[in-house]
Short mmCIF file of all heavy atoms in Angstrom, two decimals:
data_model
loop_
_atom_site.label_atom_id
_atom_site.label_comp_id
_atom_site.label_asym_id
_atom_site.label_seq_id
_atom_site.Cartn_x
_atom_site.Cartn_y
_atom_site.Cartn_z
N PRO A 122 121.45 -21.65 59.01
CA PRO A 122 121.34 -21.33 57.62
C PRO A 122 119.82 -21.24 57.19
O PRO A 122 119.38 -20.36 56.57
CB PRO A 122 121.92 -22.49 56.86
CG PRO A 122 123.06 -22.98 57.75
CD PRO A 122 122.47 -22.64 59.16
N TRP A 123 118.94 -22.39 57.56
CA TRP A 123 117.60 -22.30 57.17
C TRP A 123 116.87 -21.12 57.68
O TRP A 123 116.21 -20.49 56.90
CB TRP A 123 116.97 -23.63 57.56
CG TRP A 123 115.44 -23.50 57.52
CD1 TRP A 123 114.51 -23.23 58.58
CD2 TRP A 123 114.67 -23.65 56.22
NE1 TRP A 123 113.34 -23.25 58.00
CE2 TRP A 123 113.25 -23.49 56.66
CE3 TRP A 123 114.92 -23.84 54.93
CZ2 TRP A 123 112.21 -23.50 55.81
CZ3 TRP A 123 113.74 -23.98 54.08
CH2 TRP A 123 112.61 -23.78 54.45
N THR A 124 116.99 -20.84 58.89
CA THR A 124 116.33 -19.69 59.51
C THR A 124 116.75 -18.34 58.94
O THR A 124 115.90 -17.55 58.58
CB THR A 124 116.47 -19.70 61.05
OG1 THR A 124 115.85 -20.73 61.55
CG2 THR A 124 116.03 -18.43 61.75
N LEU A 125 117.99 -18.16 58.63
CA LEU A 125 118.47 -16.96 57.91
C LEU A 125 117.86 -16.92 56.53
O LEU A 125 117.44 -15.96 55.98
CB LEU A 125 120.01 -16.97 57.91
CG LEU A 125 120.65 -16.73 59.20
CD1 LEU A 125 122.15 -16.48 59.12
CD2 LEU A 125 120.05 -15.48 59.98
N ALA A 126 117.82 -18.13 55.80
CA ALA A 126 117.29 -18.16 54.44
C ALA A 126 115.91 -17.85 54.35
O ALA A 126 115.43 -17.18 53.59
CB ALA A 126 117.52 -19.63 54.06
N CYS A 127 115.08 -18.16 55.45
CA CYS A 127 113.69 -17.77 55.61
C CYS A 127 113.58 -16.27 55.50
O CYS A 127 112.73 -15.71 54.70
CB CYS A 127 113.09 -18.26 56.92
SG CYS A 127 112.70 -20.01 56.99
N TYR A 128 114.36 -15.51 56.26
CA TYR A 128 114.25 -14.09 56.29
C TYR A 128 114.66 -13.50 54.91
O TYR A 128 114.21 -12.59 54.36
CB TYR A 128 115.05 -13.42 57.37
CG TYR A 128 114.28 -13.69 58.67
CD1 TYR A 128 114.66 -14.69 59.54
CD2 TYR A 128 113.24 -12.93 59.14
CE1 TYR A 128 114.08 -14.96 60.85
CE2 TYR A 128 112.58 -13.16 60.38
CZ TYR A 128 113.05 -14.20 61.18
OH TYR A 128 112.45 -14.38 62.38
N MET A 129 115.76 -14.14 54.30
CA MET A 129 116.40 -13.53 53.17
C MET A 129 115.55 -13.90 51.86
O MET A 129 115.52 -13.01 50.98
CB MET A 129 117.78 -14.14 53.03
CG MET A 129 118.69 -13.44 54.00
SD MET A 129 120.34 -14.31 54.17
CE MET A 129 120.72 -14.83 52.54
N ILE A 130 114.93 -15.02 51.82
CA ILE A 130 114.17 -15.31 50.59
C ILE A 130 112.84 -14.71 50.64
O ILE A 130 112.28 -13.99 49.66
CB ILE A 130 114.08 -17.01 50.45
CG1 ILE A 130 115.51 -17.50 50.20
CG2 ILE A 130 113.16 -17.25 49.32
CD1 ILE A 130 115.60 -19.01 50.35
N ASP A 131 112.11 -14.75 51.84
CA ASP A 131 110.69 -14.17 51.93
C ASP A 131 110.91 -12.58 52.10
O ASP A 131 109.95 -11.87 51.79
CB ASP A 131 109.94 -14.69 53.05
CG ASP A 131 109.14 -16.01 52.52
OD1 ASP A 131 109.78 -17.05 52.42
OD2 ASP A 131 108.02 -15.69 52.17
N GLY A 132 111.96 -12.24 52.59
CA GLY A 132 112.25 -10.69 52.75
C GLY A 132 111.62 -10.03 53.98
O GLY A 132 111.71 -8.89 54.16
N GLU A 133 110.92 -10.92 54.79
CA GLU A 133 110.28 -10.34 55.96
C GLU A 133 109.97 -11.51 56.98
O GLU A 133 110.03 -12.73 56.61
CB GLU A 133 109.03 -9.70 55.69
CG GLU A 133 107.93 -10.53 54.88
CD GLU A 133 106.89 -9.74 54.38
OE1 GLU A 133 106.78 -8.44 54.58
OE2 GLU A 133 105.92 -10.49 53.91
N GLY A 134 109.68 -11.24 58.16
CA GLY A 134 109.33 -12.24 59.25
C GLY A 134 107.83 -12.69 58.95
O GLY A 134 107.46 -12.77 57.76
N GLY A 135 107.04 -12.89 59.91
CA GLY A 135 105.62 -13.31 59.77
C GLY A 135 105.42 -14.70 60.16
O GLY A 135 104.28 -15.12 60.49
N GLY A 136 106.39 -15.53 60.00
CA GLY A 136 106.25 -16.76 60.48
C GLY A 136 105.77 -17.91 59.50
O GLY A 136 105.79 -19.14 59.86
N GLU A 137 105.44 -17.51 58.31
CA GLU A 137 105.03 -18.60 57.33
C GLU A 137 106.08 -18.88 56.38
O GLU A 137 106.23 -19.97 55.94
CB GLU A 137 103.74 -18.04 56.61
CG GLU A 137 102.51 -18.01 57.65
CD GLU A 137 102.02 -19.54 58.12
OE1 GLU A 137 102.29 -20.42 57.39
OE2 GLU A 137 101.53 -19.53 59.24
N PHE A 138 106.68 -17.89 55.82
CA PHE A 138 107.85 -17.84 54.95
C PHE A 138 107.38 -18.83 53.69
O PHE A 138 108.16 -19.78 53.31
CB PHE A 138 109.09 -18.43 55.59
CG PHE A 138 109.47 -17.63 56.77
CD1 PHE A 138 109.21 -18.09 58.01
CD2 PHE A 138 110.22 -16.39 56.52
CE1 PHE A 138 109.61 -17.25 59.16
CE2 PHE A 138 110.55 -15.61 57.59
CZ PHE A 138 110.32 -15.97 58.89
N PRO A 139 106.37 -18.35 52.99
CA PRO A 139 105.87 -19.33 51.85
C PRO A 139 106.90 -19.42 50.75
O PRO A 139 107.04 -20.51 50.23
CB PRO A 139 104.65 -18.53 51.35
CG PRO A 139 104.65 -17.25 51.87
CD PRO A 139 105.51 -17.26 53.16
N LYS A 140 107.58 -18.24 50.42
CA LYS A 140 108.64 -18.36 49.28
C LYS A 140 109.65 -19.35 49.55
O LYS A 140 110.19 -20.17 48.74
CB LYS A 140 109.14 -17.07 48.94
CG LYS A 140 108.28 -16.00 48.28
CD LYS A 140 109.09 -14.74 47.81
CE LYS A 140 108.28 -13.60 47.79
NZ LYS A 140 109.09 -12.41 47.83
N THR A 141 110.20 -19.31 50.82
CA THR A 141 111.26 -20.20 51.30
C THR A 141 110.88 -21.58 51.21
O THR A 141 111.63 -22.49 50.69
CB THR A 141 111.80 -19.76 52.61
OG1 THR A 141 111.97 -18.40 52.66
CG2 THR A 141 112.99 -20.51 52.96
N ARG A 142 109.65 -21.91 51.63
CA ARG A 142 109.14 -23.31 51.71
C ARG A 142 108.87 -23.94 50.41
O ARG A 142 109.22 -24.97 50.04
CB ARG A 142 107.92 -23.44 52.54
CG ARG A 142 108.32 -23.10 54.10
CD ARG A 142 107.02 -22.72 54.81
NE ARG A 142 106.17 -23.80 55.24
CZ ARG A 142 104.93 -23.62 55.85
NH1 ARG A 142 104.48 -22.50 56.19
NH2 ARG A 142 104.30 -24.70 56.09
N ASP A 143 108.49 -22.88 49.46
CA ASP A 143 108.29 -23.37 48.13
C ASP A 143 109.56 -23.71 47.44
O ASP A 143 109.69 -24.67 46.68
CB ASP A 143 107.47 -22.26 47.41
CG ASP A 143 107.27 -22.62 45.92
OD1 ASP A 143 106.56 -23.63 45.74
OD2 ASP A 143 107.80 -21.87 45.06
N MET A 144 110.65 -22.87 47.68
CA MET A 144 111.87 -23.23 47.06
C MET A 144 112.54 -24.51 47.54
O MET A 144 113.02 -25.17 46.78
CB MET A 144 112.87 -22.00 47.27
CG MET A 144 114.09 -22.13 46.43
SD MET A 144 115.44 -20.96 46.95
CE MET A 144 114.84 -19.46 46.44
N ALA A 145 112.27 -24.62 48.90
CA ALA A 145 112.93 -25.94 49.41
C ALA A 145 112.19 -27.15 48.67
O ALA A 145 112.99 -28.17 48.50
CB ALA A 145 112.60 -26.05 50.99
N LYS A 146 110.97 -27.06 48.30
CA LYS A 146 110.36 -28.16 47.71
C LYS A 146 110.63 -28.21 46.18
O LYS A 146 110.88 -29.21 45.56
CB LYS A 146 108.74 -28.00 47.83
CG LYS A 146 108.32 -28.41 49.20
CD LYS A 146 107.27 -29.44 49.21
CE LYS A 146 106.84 -29.77 50.63
NZ LYS A 146 106.84 -31.16 50.85
N SER A 147 110.44 -26.97 45.49
CA SER A 147 110.52 -27.04 43.96
C SER A 147 111.87 -26.79 43.54
O SER A 147 112.08 -27.13 42.34
CB SER A 147 109.49 -25.88 43.66
OG SER A 147 110.06 -24.65 43.87
N ASP A 148 112.80 -26.27 44.20
CA ASP A 148 114.06 -26.13 43.55
C ASP A 148 115.20 -26.23 44.67
O ASP A 148 115.89 -25.26 45.06
CB ASP A 148 114.12 -24.56 43.03
CG ASP A 148 115.21 -24.27 42.09
OD1 ASP A 148 116.06 -25.29 41.87
OD2 ASP A 148 115.19 -23.30 41.38
N PRO A 149 115.35 -27.51 45.10
CA PRO A 149 116.27 -27.86 46.12
C PRO A 149 117.79 -27.41 45.89
O PRO A 149 118.42 -27.23 46.78
CB PRO A 149 116.18 -29.50 46.30
CG PRO A 149 115.23 -29.98 45.26
CD PRO A 149 114.60 -28.79 44.60
N SER A 150 118.17 -27.43 44.56
CA SER A 150 119.55 -27.14 44.31
C SER A 150 119.84 -25.70 44.54
O SER A 150 120.82 -25.24 45.07
CB SER A 150 120.00 -27.67 42.85
OG SER A 150 119.31 -26.98 41.99
N ARG A 151 118.83 -24.87 44.19
CA ARG A 151 118.94 -23.40 44.41
C ARG A 151 118.94 -23.04 45.87
O ARG A 151 119.81 -22.42 46.36
CB ARG A 151 117.67 -22.73 43.75
CG ARG A 151 117.83 -21.22 43.79
CD ARG A 151 116.48 -20.50 43.33
NE ARG A 151 116.29 -20.81 41.95
CZ ARG A 151 116.18 -19.78 40.97
NH1 ARG A 151 116.33 -18.46 41.43
NH2 ARG A 151 116.05 -20.00 39.71
N MET A 152 118.03 -23.84 46.67
CA MET A 152 118.11 -23.64 48.08
C MET A 152 119.45 -24.15 48.72
O MET A 152 120.00 -23.52 49.53
CB MET A 152 116.92 -24.51 48.71
CG MET A 152 116.86 -24.53 50.11
SD MET A 152 116.70 -22.89 50.87
CE MET A 152 114.97 -22.57 50.64
N ALA A 153 119.98 -25.28 48.17
CA ALA A 153 121.26 -25.76 48.74
C ALA A 153 122.35 -24.70 48.47
O ALA A 153 123.25 -24.64 49.33
CB ALA A 153 121.57 -27.00 47.95
N GLY A 154 122.33 -24.07 47.33
CA GLY A 154 123.35 -23.07 47.13
C GLY A 154 123.31 -21.93 48.14
O GLY A 154 124.20 -21.39 48.69
N ILE A 155 122.01 -21.38 48.49
CA ILE A 155 121.89 -20.37 49.50
C ILE A 155 122.40 -20.80 50.85
O ILE A 155 123.12 -20.15 51.58
CB ILE A 155 120.50 -19.84 49.52
CG1 ILE A 155 120.13 -19.32 48.19
CG2 ILE A 155 120.16 -18.91 50.71
CD1 ILE A 155 118.60 -18.99 47.98
N VAL A 156 121.92 -22.13 51.25
CA VAL A 156 122.30 -22.69 52.53
C VAL A 156 123.73 -22.86 52.71
O VAL A 156 124.36 -22.57 53.78
CB VAL A 156 121.55 -23.94 52.78
CG1 VAL A 156 122.15 -24.82 53.90
CG2 VAL A 156 120.04 -23.57 53.14
N ALA A 157 124.47 -23.17 51.52
CA ALA A 157 125.92 -23.47 51.59
C ALA A 157 126.63 -22.20 51.77
O ALA A 157 127.64 -22.13 52.52
CB ALA A 157 126.38 -24.07 50.15
N HIS A 158 126.19 -21.06 51.18
CA HIS A 158 126.75 -19.72 51.38
C HIS A 158 126.66 -19.42 52.74
O HIS A 158 127.58 -18.86 53.38
CB HIS A 158 126.16 -18.75 50.34
CG HIS A 158 126.86 -17.53 50.36
ND1 HIS A 158 127.73 -17.18 49.27
CD2 HIS A 158 126.86 -16.49 51.15
CE1 HIS A 158 128.31 -15.97 49.48
NE2 HIS A 158 127.82 -15.45 50.56
N LEU A 159 125.32 -19.49 53.31
CA LEU A 159 125.11 -19.12 54.60
C LEU A 159 126.01 -19.93 55.64
O LEU A 159 126.52 -19.34 56.60
CB LEU A 159 123.67 -19.23 54.97
CG LEU A 159 122.71 -18.09 54.39
CD1 LEU A 159 121.34 -18.49 54.50
CD2 LEU A 159 123.11 -16.84 55.05
N GLU A 160 126.13 -21.14 55.39
CA GLU A 160 126.86 -22.07 56.15
C GLU A 160 128.36 -21.58 56.38
O GLU A 160 128.85 -21.48 57.47
CB GLU A 160 126.88 -23.41 55.60
CG GLU A 160 127.34 -24.44 56.50
CD GLU A 160 127.44 -25.98 55.75
OE1 GLU A 160 126.37 -26.27 55.24
OE2 GLU A 160 128.45 -26.45 55.77
#
Side-chain angles (χ1 to χ4, degrees):
W123 166 260
T124 288
L125 294 183
C127 283
Y128 288 99
M129 286 164 42
I130 295 165
D131 270 83
E133 58 188 5
E137 291 294 332
F138 303 103
K140 286 191 207 159
T141 312
R142 291 157 78 184
D143 179 57
M144 192 190 293
K146 288 235 181 231
S147 65
D148 200 345
S150 67
R151 188 187 289 245
M152 176 59 82
I155 296 171
V156 162
H158 191 100
L159 284 167
E160 192 182 305

